[in-house]
């Protein structure tokens, strides 16, 4: 059952250390496809077949062609009202933003401290010397190479890879401190991100889910706002 927007507003006003865990549903409203599931087919390949270390080792050019296409799609998108609302809460309430998205739209909305759990498609990491650099070139010269001569790879977390320990630690510390956690547009099943919501709940935080549909987070949430993230977040910060 949907909760009262006024109740959530009141909780937000009282919160001393709010945080937000964001998923693909937030960026979908900017026109960014999830690249998984029914709409995730690209040249007869699925994301699960391409976003792996093994796929990159077998055919780095194929993987980079896919990521170059992804970058071109995301380059045509812009932050939506949800991204801007989170930035406003970051400025006014010290909201800590934890995102599972790799599209960089929260950063484009002005956030400089968003915790990118799964990395960013706008950063490249050298498979040889480990150098990491930001790159917004669309299209890229494929496959991109570092100055040391080794191949660059996207600086994202692939299937079968662990999250960066420092990034995960920052997210866990934010969850340990938070007294109000928004869980926005995420399926609530991708680990270890999904466990952050349960951790916050276990520590006594007030958990607010914003999603268009029921998820595993819904039954344990203290408040649920149904609908598109951009619309509900815009309503939340109004006035």
């Amino acid at each position: 059952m949907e909760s009262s927007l006024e109740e959530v507003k009141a909780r937000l006003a009282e919160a001393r250390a709010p945080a937000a865990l964001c998923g693909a549903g937030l960026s979908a409203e900017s026109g960014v496809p999830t690249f998984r599931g029914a709409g995730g087919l690209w040249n007869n390949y699925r994301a699960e077949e391409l976003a792996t270390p093994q796929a990159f080792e077998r055919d780095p050019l194929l993987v980079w062609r896919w990521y170059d296409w992804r970058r071109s799609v995301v380059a045509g998108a812009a932050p939506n009202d949800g991204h801007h609302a989170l930035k406003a809460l970051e400025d006014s309430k010290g909201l800590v933003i934890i995102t599972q998205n790799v599209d960089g739209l929260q950063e484009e909305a002005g956030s400089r401290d968003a915790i990118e759990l799964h990395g960013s498609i706008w950063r490249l990491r050298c498979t040889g010397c480990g150098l990491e650099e930001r790159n917004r070139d669309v299209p890229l010269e494929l496959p991109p190479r570092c100055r040391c001569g080794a191949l660059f790879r996207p600086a994202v977390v692939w299937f079968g890879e662990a999250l960066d320990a420092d990034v995960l630690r920052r997210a866990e510390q934010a969850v340990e401190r938070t007294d109000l956690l928004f869980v926005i547009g995420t399926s609530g099943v991708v680990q270890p991100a999904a466990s952050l919501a349960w951790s916050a709940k276990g520590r006594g935080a007030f958990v607010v889910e914003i999603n268009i549909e029921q998820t595993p987070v819904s039954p344990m949430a203290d408040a649920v706002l149904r609908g598109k993230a951009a619309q509900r977040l815009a309503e939340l910060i109004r006035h």
Side-chain angles (χ1 to χ4, degrees), residues 110-132:
S111 295
R112 290 293 172 263
D113 295 317
I115 301 170
E116 295 176 320
L117 282 178
H118 298 152
S120 170
I121 60 170
W122 301 115
R123 293 199 301 274
L124 314 181
R125 186 166 68 246
C126 180
T127 56
C129 68
L131 172 72
E132 190 167 313

Side-chain angles (χ1 to χ4, degrees), residues 13-235:
E14 296 171 357
R16 295 184 177 182
L21 174 64
C22 309
L26 177 62
S27 290
E29 295 181 58
S30 290
V32 178
T34 63
F35 304 109
R36 295 181 65 185
L41 204 61
W42 174 81
N43 286 7
N44 297 317
Y45 295 94
R46 295 200 178 278
E48 293 84 349
E49 300 173 73
L50 295 171
T52 70
Q54 294 78 17
F56 190 76
E57 185 176 348
R58 282 194 308 268
D59 195 339
L61 181 58
L62 174 65
V63 173
W64 262 119
R65 283 176 54 219
W66 180 55
Y67 272 96
D68 197 44
W69 172 74
R70 284 187 64 177
R71 284 160 59 102
S72 71
V73 172
V74 174
N80 59 52
D81 288 346
H83 295 107
H84 292 301
L86 291 174
K87 172 61 169 64
L89 290 174
E90 185 182 48
D91 291 341
S92 64
K93 293 286 296 182
L95 178 82
V96 177
I97 302 169
I98 306 166
T99 181
Q100 298 170 261
N101 300 325
V102 299
D103 49 52
L105 288 178
Q106 192 59 56
E107 181 182 24
E108 195 173 334
S111 295
R112 290 293 172 263
D113 295 317
I115 301 170
E116 295 176 320
L117 282 178
H118 298 152
S120 170
I121 60 170
W122 301 115
R123 293 199 301 274
L124 314 181
R125 186 166 68 246
C126 180
T127 56
C129 68
L131 172 72
E132 190 167 313
E133 65 179 38
R134 182 177 173 83
N135 182 296
R136 296 280 305 192
D137 295 344
V138 177
L140 275 170
E141 185 176 340
L142 301 179
R145 288 188 178 274
C146 178
R147 289 184 291 276
C148 75
L151 285 172
F152 273 122
R153 57 161 282 178
V156 299
V157 179
W158 280 333
F159 294 109
E161 292 184 326
L163 270 62
D164 180 274
D166 290 336
V167 173
L168 180 57
R169 189 176 302 110
R170 287 180 61 204
E172 290 172 339
Q173 289 172 345
V175 166
E176 289 171 3
R177 292 191 301 266
T178 192
D179 53 353
L180 186 152
L181 178 70
F182 292 104
V183 183
I184 305 165
T186 177
S187 64
V189 297
V190 177
Q191 295 292 354
S195 66
L196 295 173
W198 295 93
S199 176
K201 176 73 173 181
R203 292 175 178 274
F206 189 84
V207 176
V208 180
E209 181 182 53
I210 301 178
N211 208 305
I212 59 174
E213 58 190 5
Q214 178 98 355
T215 76
V217 175
S218 304
M220 71 85 162
D222 297 291
V224 175
L225 298 179
R226 287 279 171 255
K228 295 182 177 181
Q231 177 186 344
R232 300 320 307 261
L233 284 167
E235 292 172 349

